[in-house]
Amino acid sequence: MVLPGHLIITTADGLNDQTLIRLQKQGGGLFSLGRLLWIDYQSNLAALTTDESDFWNGLTPAALADPVPVNGEVRIRRWNSDRLENRPGDIERMTVDNSALSFVSVPALKVDSTISGASSGEAVTQGNKLLGLASGQDSDVVTAVPSSFISFTVAARKKGTFHGLGYFDFTWEPVENPLALQYLGLPGPARGVIVKDTGLKPGVTSLIHSRDVILQIDGFDIDAEGDYADPQYGKMMLENLSSRQKWAGADCKIKVWRDGKEQTIDYQLPRADYSDELVPEQSFDHPPDYVLAGGLVFVKLSDAFLRSWGANWRQHAPFRLGYYEIDKVKPDRSEIVVLSGVMPARVNLGYEMLHDCVVQEVNGVKIGKLADLVAALKSPVNGFDVFKFAPGESMEMAVLDASKIDETNQEIMTKFHIPADHVLSGNAATASQP
Amino acid sequence: MLRLRPFAALFLLPAILILPLSAAQTGPATAPAEGVTTLPPAAITPTPTSAVTPAAPGVAPTPALPSSTSAPAPVVPGNPVVPVPPPASSGSASETRATPQGTPLPEGSEPEKSVVQIITAYQEPNWAAPWIFDSPHFASGTGFLIDGNRIMTNAHVVAWTKQLLVRKYHDPQRYFATVEFVAHDVDLAILKVDDPKFYEGMKPLQFGELPQVRSQVVTYGFPAGGQQISYTRGVVSRIEVESYAHPGNRAFLAVQTDAAINPGNSGGPVIQDDKVVGVAFEGLVGLQNTGFFIPTTMVRHFLTDIADGTYDGVPDSGLQMVSLQNPAFRDMLKLPEDSKRGVRVDRVMDIPSTEKLIKVDDVLMKIGDYDVDDDSTITYHGNTVGASVAFDLAQNNSTIPLEVWRDGALTHVDLPVKVYHDDYAQGNQYDTLPPYYIYGGLVFTPLSLDYLKSVGSATTQSGGRELIYELVYRHLEDPGHWRPQPVVLSSILDNEVNANLTTRGQALVDKINGQRIDSLSDVPKAFASATGPFDVVEFMPDHHFEVLRHTDAQKATPDILSTYSVPAQSRL
């Protein structure tokens, strides 16, 4: 959708790893070269433009509805080849849902419609106003990024106040058992929710504690189901308060019941990053990280790696690798490093069948991330590179002649057409010794 | 023995499944143990949970995996999972007496007279609701007479049995039998028949040695597809250490043959030169002409073990051994350049006597009488087999002499070996009813493979993954938080005292009333220790907790037991 200021707003999903963007209007005609202005995968929004001034001729910027109506009929539109598909729909509700590409919760507009496969930024409109961009569909229910959130994001981008999505780094549960509140000593009727797990943001000491009862956030009372009364949208889940007119780093006043009394916590919203998760669910716009060492191929465990076992990877991937998806980052372990396989060479004889082994130590150095392995390889032990794998692997230790690593890497890179012996954080390197 | 990590196999490897071969109608759900090889991601063929399908009469069901949501299904005749070939002879009883053409049996020998059909009525407990038992089922297997008026068969033929009947060759009468010894680890059992008439006309079969690869063998048994004895002939295809599906987490020497070994053959003799060279016990789903029998190596081990009137089991060396073929690794361990011997100790299990004597990176050059090659094999009766076989020959509480390369020199170690029980919950359990404790409608039971199979805890659910990780990997990766017997809240028997609880089951228990729960026996003690008005049950790993009013829960417990027809509050 075209917005004022020669800006095209769309969903980020599908623009990842892009190398060329071309724009076309009215379902046909010549393409114009597009340019990415910004993209935020966490909120699933991206802004494009083009420097070809003719492109904007005949295009009228859309008006964004803010607030978003919570009922009524809508239209969902998209270009289907050269035909403008225009399907009716009904607003179901405004709610809070997981972002299409992230673990964070964001506001979501739910629309009933007969359209199929709407998930690529299709426009949800009412009258001449844009209500949202479709980001997913489940049966007849289309989820859209609401225009109020788009409007807030675009304005923040324009003003330079965008700091990324924030989130509450704790999990909670609704209070279904009044005895739980009695046990915690909270008087009066059931209210608030009970905090379970905390400290989900690595490296940050959470100010919220397990068994705190969240009573109020920014002045909004939290009920026993975890909802608050939103002035615009009615009952909304408390997670909405982490993105309602706020970005990462913003302050929240959280009133909790702790140790038998009410306390107000000055809470700062941590920024949502894929690296907050031990097994990142996404990794966009750079090639996968890996390290080649004497034919042993090491990678960072990620959802993308697990998806190489197919859509049902939870059933098919090695159990332990899949388990780490629900484990948390620890101070000394921000990533799981995996020996994904072995490219055969003379020096790695005897290790050909090793694959999908979790790496614990290399040359006596604990491996908490792939970069640790690169550093550890610089310090062989008495001329040997010693790899220790997690207990329970088919082999818990492998040894290579460190003096032959460089030569073997070159040999393997030539034989198997590999351009670099390691890629870290998207940066390929051809240095023979990582 | 080679120890197996059952879940690694359950979720990664079962491109092929190993099935016990009793002709179970709805037989024991058995986890396939670790397979032959680990495949790269693209090559892995997972076992769909739908593999738990109805079985035809005489067809063992596909193992129920923890990821499965269905229990073994009832019989659907005519819809076999494994095609069941007709018996070798489908003619009259007299015709079946004829020696199968081309077999190596000497003239006049009649081993079939010593082969019996075993019909078992068995009933398994429900591990998720441990006071409940499944419906009784019937299955059949094979056995054969050995010295001492004993009938040898497979353990899985008699597991959870309530009644055993045996039927002789050409004898319509059925005789009652009882289990004298059972060895679930090696899948063997000894039965006794009290009626002396049973033994009339029968001669005990004698045991031979390990057969040679490519030599011919004949199986005798009562497989599916007919009522009379069946003979199948084939060659010994290979001899290797294989997983034993009945225990689920053990592997011992086994012989593969292309002789048809089908459900119902279980426990039957495999004969060569008029002697028993093995006991048929399992097959591989997905491969053709692949049956396995237990060689006399393991049979003799069993018979020697029970000579004192008690079965102990095959002891465990407590060592994970891996091949040592990489030149750099051998160089680092200062092994002689021209040596091709030695298997590296990769891991030492938490067995104090073993930990005291053996270290990681020790290289075992000789185990007992057997030189060990660098590919982790020994030569046993002319066959190249896994080095673990050299340990498996030992009896419980014996000592095995080892030649060990350590710190650049050869040394001698006498390693005592004992039966290892600490991984019992990771394998299939038999004979002992599952323990439980019920309080306020909350049903607590130990975490085990059998429990996971009962509830169908799936790897696709985070709760299921937590349970599996706790059972299999916690003690390896996080020994500081390991518990000897993790306890799960299995389910909740609904009552007003627990109606508001959000957890309804399949949750790992961390603490009760502030007390850490290391085993089921801690649970009643923890509830009894309540000092306030509430009972608080804390769960792992997310700090979720549930609260009951102590007096209400105590008071309601007898009524709940009565309402749900639970015979006792606990089985500890």
Side-chain angles (χ1 to χ4, degrees):
Chain A
M1 289 295 287
V2 175
L3 298 183
H6 285 188
L7 185 128
I8 300 165
I9 192 80
T10 185
T11 50
D13 197 359
L15 284 174
N16 52 291
D17 305 303
Q18 54 85 17
T19 52
L20 177 67
I21 298 174
R22 296 202 300 164
L23 306 172
Q24 189 185 49
K25 59 184 181 180
Q26 308 299 339
L30 294 175
F31 284 95
S32 297
L33 194 60
R35 182 161 59 84
L36 188 66
L37 288 172
W38 52 262
I39 189 163
D40 182 51
Y41 295 108
Q42 301 284 350
S43 57
N44 194 21
L45 284 175
L48 311 172
T49 191
T50 177
D51 298 326
E52 297 175 24
S53 56
D54 288 351
F55 176 81
W56 305 104
N57 293 338
L59 290 173
T60 305
L64 294 169
D66 189 7
V68 178
V70 293
N71 52 46
E73 294 180 357
V74 298
R75 309 295 297 186
I76 301 180
R77 302 163 202 259
R78 66 180 166 198
W79 284 107
N80 197 342
S81 298
D82 59 350
R83 185 175 65 86
L84 183 65
E85 189 178 352
N86 186 348
R87 299 270 183 178
D90 290 297
I91 295 174
E92 193 182 81
R93 66 188 189 281
M94 268 287 278
T95 186
V96 180
D97 210 347
N98 276 354
S99 180
L101 300 174
S102 171
F103 60 91
V104 289
S105 298
V106 290
L109 178 67
K110 299 286 184 178
V111 175
D112 283 332
S113 175
T114 55
I115 198 169
S116 65
S119 61
S120 306
E122 289 85 347
V124 181
T125 63
Q126 191 177 60
N128 60 353
K129 290 201 168 178
L130 177 69
L131 270 54
L133 297 173
S135 59
Q137 183 169 2
D138 185 6
S139 300
D140 289 340
V141 178
V142 173
T143 300
V145 183
S147 52
S148 52
F149 185 75
I150 296 172
S151 177
F152 180 57
T153 304
V154 171
R157 287 281 184 179
K158 198 172 176 182
K159 286 189 282 185
T161 56
F162 178 84
H163 301 300
L165 273 184
Y167 70 108
F168 295 129
D169 69 334
F170 55 84
T171 60
W172 52 268
E173 60 184 329
V175 177
E176 292 182 24
N177 184 2
L179 288 180
L181 292 180
Q182 288 181 37
Y183 167 69
L184 296 173
L186 181 67
R191 60 204 161 104
V193 292
I194 298 173
V195 173
K196 294 200 294 185
D197 221 357
T198 62
L200 304 184
K201 179 69 179 178
V204 175
T205 304
S206 179
L207 297 174
I208 302 298
H209 298 173
S210 183
R211 296 200 185 180
D212 280 352
V213 182
I214 305 287
L215 299 172
Q216 203 179 73
I217 299 176
D218 289 339
F220 292 105
D221 289 335
I222 307 300
D223 68 20
E225 292 178 323
D227 294 330
Y228 74 98
D230 189 279
Q232 290 164 330
Y233 302 116
K235 275 183 79 166
M236 293 282 278
M237 193 164 58
L238 68 86
E239 252 72 22
N240 194 49
L241 295 169
S242 68
S243 59
R244 185 179 181 275
Q245 306 294 310
K246 283 180 189 293
W247 299 118
D251 292 327
C252 288
K253 295 277 187 199
I254 302 183
K255 187 187 286 182
V256 302
W257 180 263
R258 181 188 295 171
D259 300 331
K261 58 178 186 275
E262 283 187 1
Q263 300 183 35
T264 299
I265 310 295
D266 291 320
Y267 183 87
Q268 195 175 46
L269 285 168
R271 180 189 164 102
D273 292 308
Y274 290 126
S275 59
D276 293 351
E277 296 180 297
L278 183 60
V279 181
E281 64 180 290
Q282 306 292 352
S283 177
F284 293 130
D285 301 331
H286 59 78
D289 290 357
Y290 69 86
V291 173
L292 178 69
L296 277 59
V297 182
F298 300 94
V299 300
K300 176 171 75 175
L301 183 61
S302 64
D303 265 16
F305 180 70
L306 290 168
R307 285 196 292 267
S308 66
W309 274 272
N312 293 326
W313 64 262
R314 286 182 180 85
Q315 288 183 320
H316 304 164
F319 171 79
R320 178 152 52 181
L321 298 188
Y323 169 79
Y324 288 127
E325 191 202 23
I326 57 171
D327 203 358
K328 291 198 296 186
V329 167
K330 293 176 182 170
D332 60 348
R333 189 193 64 178
S334 59
E335 297 171 0
I336 297 292
V337 177
V338 177
L339 169 66
S340 66
V342 176
M343 314 204 85
R346 189 176 292 268
V347 301
N348 59 45
L349 181 72
Y351 306 140
E352 305 88 356
M353 300 305 288
L354 284 181
H355 61 91
D356 307 317
C357 302
V358 176
V359 182
Q360 281 202 329
E361 269 184 35
V362 174
N363 294 336
V365 177
K366 188 170 168 54
I367 302 301
K369 55 185 181 300
L370 195 55
D372 293 342
L373 186 143
V374 175
L377 285 172
K378 290 175 180 163
S379 305
V381 179
N382 300 324
F384 299 101
D385 283 321
V386 182
F387 304 88
K388 276 193 180 175
F389 306 114
E393 298 292 3
S394 57
M395 186 182 282
E396 295 186 10
M397 193 189 295
V399 170
L400 293 176
D401 183 341
S403 68
K404 294 181 179 170
I405 298 286
D406 293 356
E407 179 190 337
T408 304
N409 281 356
Q410 294 296 341
E411 175 192 323
I412 286 172
M413 287 160 62
T414 302
K415 190 185 284 184
F416 294 98
H417 312 289
I418 301 169
D421 65 1
H422 72 283
V423 172
L424 281 181
S425 300
N427 298 316
T430 52
S432 53
Q433 177 73 34
Chain B
M1 81 190 69
L2 180 62
R3 297 179 67 253
L4 297 170
R5 293 174 291 280
F7 285 105
L10 284 172
F11 302 114
L12 307 185
L13 299 174
I16 43 182
L17 294 181
I18 301 175
L19 300 183
L21 290 168
S22 67
Q25 293 181 338
T26 52
T30 306
E34 192 163 36
V36 176
T37 184
T38 305
L39 303 173
I44 286 178
T45 307
T47 303
T49 53
S50 59
V52 181
T53 50
V59 177
T62 303
L65 305 177
S67 56
S68 165
T69 53
S70 45
V75 175
V76 180
N79 183 24
V81 176
V82 181
V84 181
S89 168
S90 57
S92 67
S94 60
E95 288 169 334
T96 63
R97 273 192 82 238
T99 300
Q101 185 180 11
T103 67
L105 287 178
E107 193 175 344
S109 89
E110 295 177 315
E112 57 267 38
K113 286 187 174 178
S114 303
V115 179
V116 299
Q117 184 178 26
I118 300 168
I119 299 114
T120 175
Y122 68 96
Q123 186 183 37
E124 292 180 88
N126 182 316
W127 292 77
W131 61 93
I132 293 173
F133 292 83
D134 293 344
S135 302
H137 298 294
F138 293 89
S140 75
T142 302
F144 56 98
L145 189 70
I146 63 172
D147 285 338
N149 281 355
R150 287 169 160 173
I151 298 166
M152 173 161 280
T153 187
N154 286 140
H156 74 260
V157 171
V158 302
W160 298 114
T161 187
K162 297 293 181 183
Q163 178 187 276
L164 288 171
L165 291 171
V166 293
R167 188 167 69 91
K168 289 168 62 177
Y169 177 72
H170 280 183
D171 184 351
Q173 186 174 344
R174 297 180 177 203
Y175 299 85
F176 288 98
T178 53
V179 177
E180 187 181 11
F181 295 101
V182 64
H184 291 295
D185 57 350
V186 291
D187 200 1
L188 289 170
I190 294 287
L191 313 185
K192 292 285 281 185
V193 174
D194 289 336
D195 188 342
K197 271 181 61 186
F198 170 78
Y199 299 100
E200 289 174 3
M202 294 180 81
K203 286 182 184 172
L205 297 181
Q206 301 302 307
F207 290 105
E209 301 302 323
L210 191 67
Q212 295 299 306
V213 174
R214 289 185 295 171
S215 65
Q216 286 191 21
V217 292
V218 178
T219 71
Y220 288 67
F222 293 87
Q227 297 298 312
Q228 301 304 322
I229 196 166
S230 163
Y231 315 91
T232 61
R233 181 164 54 105
V235 297
V236 172
S237 307
R238 59 182 156 196
I239 300 172
E240 280 187 336
V241 174
E242 297 284 353
S243 56
Y244 276 37
H246 180 61
N249 59 348
R250 292 287 185 272
F252 300 108
L253 196 63
V255 181
Q256 182 186 325
T257 178
D258 66 349
I261 293 182
N262 288 309
N265 273 113
S266 278
V270 180
I271 289 184
Q272 184 178 77
D273 296 335
D274 213 15
K275 289 189 173 175
V276 176
V277 293
V279 180
F281 80 125
E282 55 185 36
L284 284 174
V285 170
L287 295 184
Q288 294 183 340
N289 303 328
T290 308
F292 292 93
F293 59 86
I294 301 167
T296 50
T297 310
M298 301 314 299
V299 174
R300 286 202 171 91
H301 188 286
F302 168 59
L303 293 173
T304 303
D305 189 326
I306 62 174
D308 61 359
T310 306
Y311 181 69
D312 297 315
V314 181
D316 199 314
S317 67
L319 305 175
Q320 176 171 302
M321 300 174 292
V322 295
S323 62
L324 185 56
Q325 295 187 302
N326 186 268
F329 214 151
R330 297 187 69 84
D331 191 20
M332 191 177 84
L333 297 176
K334 301 173 186 165
L335 282 153
E337 243 177 62
D338 55 347
S339 170
K340 291 289 178 194
R341 285 175 57 203
V343 61
R344 189 181 140 265
V345 174
D346 195 44
R347 178 176 179 77
V348 180
M349 287 159 53
D350 51 353
I351 300 173
S353 57
T354 305
E355 287 177 315
K356 193 174 164 188
L357 294 168
I358 303 291
K359 301 172 183 175
V360 168
D361 279 345
D362 278 353
V363 181
L364 308 189
M365 310 297 280
K366 193 167 186 176
I367 304 172
D369 296 331
Y370 300 91
D371 288 335
V372 185
D373 290 327
D374 64 3
D375 63 348
S376 191
T377 62
I378 61 170
T379 302
Y380 180 74
H381 286 244
N383 301 286
T384 299
V385 299
S388 60
V389 171
F391 284 110
D392 296 339
L393 301 173
Q395 290 290 337
N396 190 37
N397 286 323
S398 61
T399 299
I400 300 176
L402 303 174
E403 265 185 28
V404 179
W405 182 267
R406 179 185 297 167
D407 300 330
L410 208 56
T411 186
H412 182 90
V413 172
D414 286 320
L415 181 70
V417 288
K418 292 181 180 173
V419 176
Y420 186 73
H421 293 293
D422 287 0
D423 61 348
Y424 197 52
Q426 295 177 24
N428 301 306
Q429 299 181 67
Y430 304 96
D431 299 339
T432 305
L433 294 174
Y436 68 90
Y437 180 77
I438 298 175
Y439 178 85
L442 279 63
V443 181
F444 299 93
T445 193
L447 177 63
S448 66
L449 174 64
D450 291 291
Y451 169 75
L452 291 175
K453 288 188 300 186
S454 278
V455 299
S457 192
T459 55
T460 52
Q461 299 162 344
S462 61
R465 284 191 277 179
E466 286 290 356
L467 296 178
I468 294 165
Y469 182 85
E470 189 69 27
L471 181 65
V472 180
Y473 290 103
R474 176 74 66 198
H475 68 287
L476 294 170
E477 285 198 18
D478 192 10
H481 291 94
W482 176 74
R483 295 162 199 248
Q485 187 187 58
V487 172
V488 288
L489 171 65
S490 174
S491 59
I492 290 183
L493 304 175
D494 289 342
N495 182 273
E496 61 180 299
V497 299
N498 59 45
N500 288 322
L501 271 55
T502 53
T503 308
R504 305 313 293 179
Q506 297 188 48
L508 270 171
V509 179
D510 181 15
K511 293 176 183 170
I512 295 175
N513 293 333
Q515 298 195 19
R516 179 183 157 103
I517 303 301
D518 279 332
S519 66
L520 187 65
S521 61
D522 293 336
V523 175
K525 291 182 215 161
F527 278 119
S529 72
T531 53
F534 302 110
D535 288 311
V536 182
V537 183
E538 298 172 65
F539 299 94
M540 297 184 285
D542 63 357
H543 307 294
H544 169 66
F545 68 99
E546 295 286 5
V547 180
L548 297 165
R549 196 175 294 282
H550 181 70
T551 49
D552 293 350
Q554 267 193 323
K555 195 176 165 189
T557 299
D559 288 343
I560 293 170
L561 298 178
S562 171
T563 301
Y564 290 91
S565 303
V566 183
Q569 185 182 3
S570 65
R571 185 193 294 137
L572 296 173

